[in-house]
Amino acid sequence: MSAERLDVDALLADPGVRTIVCCGSGGVGKTTTAAALGVRAAEMGRGAVVITVDPARRLAQSLGLTELDNTPRPVPLPEAAEAGGSLHAMMLDMKRTFDEIVEAHADPERAREILANPFYRSMSSSFSGTQEYMAMEKLGQLRESGEWDLIVVDTPPSRSALDFLDAPKRLGRFLDGRLIRILGAPARTGAFRLLGAGVGAVTGIISKVVGAQALKDVQSFISSFDAVFGGFQERAERTYRLLQAPGTAFLVVAVPEPDALREADYFMERLAADRMPLAGVVLNRTHRPEADGPPAEEALAASRELEAGGEHPLAAAALLLHARAARLRDREAELRGRLTAAHPRIPVAEVPARAEDVYDIGALREVGEALGEAGPDGVPG
């Protein structure tokens, strides 16, 4: 079954689309896809910003910037300016984003206490789920600012969409968990006396395991953090609803390989279960069928016949190369067919494999053109 062509240009040109989220497993080209979408959208006249959550710094390199940080930086793009568009890019700094939340929602004295707390410094830098949660926070901030027409998000290279979609709830449950609240009770309200000796035994054990100072740091953090935590869950829920809204479009990025397509299948199932608006699939590094040339098995048989006869070694080698390339294309077609059969209503855009990696704006522009023009089976739109 042939899949519907994903019209990427229509998606980018639609003023109702405010956020595009690129998701997928590692190594499938999410960062390149996100950057190429940003470049193409800007040159179509939109004010776009690309945010990467990937710790690899390839986005800055491909955009011709020396570095990216937590503040959107302008990308020199004369073609975009001529079209009335612009492009900015940033790389999420999860600790800096966490610090900004504290500074924005706590009075100066309490903010200083939180930022200096050892437990906070450790949690804000390395706690599981913090990176994904802060990506949600930053996305919410960028949308609320109203400064950009389009936000393109490059998600972390995780095994599943669970990390990106569940992180806010997971971090919220941790900060609002029973154990954390019990540990914070003595410093926060004096409820330690009311909760009884059982709690005293628990905190005593924890004190022996992690140390009295570490326990004191946790209690001090919770006491100071109460003023900030109230808005965490509310903002997380608001951003989650934003992801479900019609103005958001998810793109699942994959390559025509079994493991990557299994991950893509899972992403699509999960996004559907969470009622997230899936716009389509971007299939990177595909190989287009040749108009002429024998099928793989015929080419292989002819190559072996020439090789056995000891004649025309160059022709035998050429036929062998052709056979291998044809086999690769046949395998990709089979894998793609399985994907489209399982998800017949999901549009697909294919980006042909490049001879070289993407290192600059020119290459990103070429990838963007391929995204805008190539549909399933490598047929230009």
Side-chain angles (χ1 to χ4, degrees), residues 168-169 232-242 244:
K169 296 177 183 178
F232 263 61
Q233 294 285 50
E234 179 184 348
R235 287 194 303 278
E237 291 172 4
R238 187 164 63 242
T239 304
Y240 193 84
R241 290 193 298 270
L242 183 102
Q244 292 177 317

Side-chain angles (χ1 to χ4, degrees), residues 21-106:
V21 181
C22 298
C23 55
S25 56
V28 297
K30 288 194 310 297
T31 300
T32 297
T33 299
L37 290 172
V39 169
R40 192 160 181 84
E43 293 185 347
M44 292 171 68
R46 301 199 71 180
V49 60
V50 178
I51 172 174
T52 182
V53 189
D54 189 339
R57 299 178 182 269
R58 289 190 57 234
L59 180 61
Q61 296 169 357
S62 61
L63 292 173
L65 302 175
T66 56
E67 62 179 357
L68 290 176
D69 55 23
N70 213 44
T71 301
R73 303 294 180 187
V75 177
L77 206 59
E79 294 84 351
E82 292 175 4
S86 65
L87 179 62
H88 287 69
M90 62 169 291
M91 185 174 72
L92 180 76
D93 182 332
M94 65 178 181
K95 186 180 187 311
R96 183 59 211 149
T97 301
F98 214 146
D99 291 350
E100 290 171 355
I101 295 169
V102 171
E103 292 165 350
H105 296 89

Side-chain angles (χ1 to χ4, degrees), residues 340-359:
T340 55
H343 305 277
R345 297 184 179 181
I346 304 300
V348 178
E350 295 189 25
V351 179
R354 294 174 54 86
E356 298 178 350
D357 287 339
V358 175
Y359 290 114

Side-chain angles (χ1 to χ4, degrees), residues 301-319:
S303 173
R304 288 172 176 170
E305 183 178 345
L306 288 174
E307 187 177 6
E311 299 179 353
H312 308 293
L314 291 179
L319 283 167

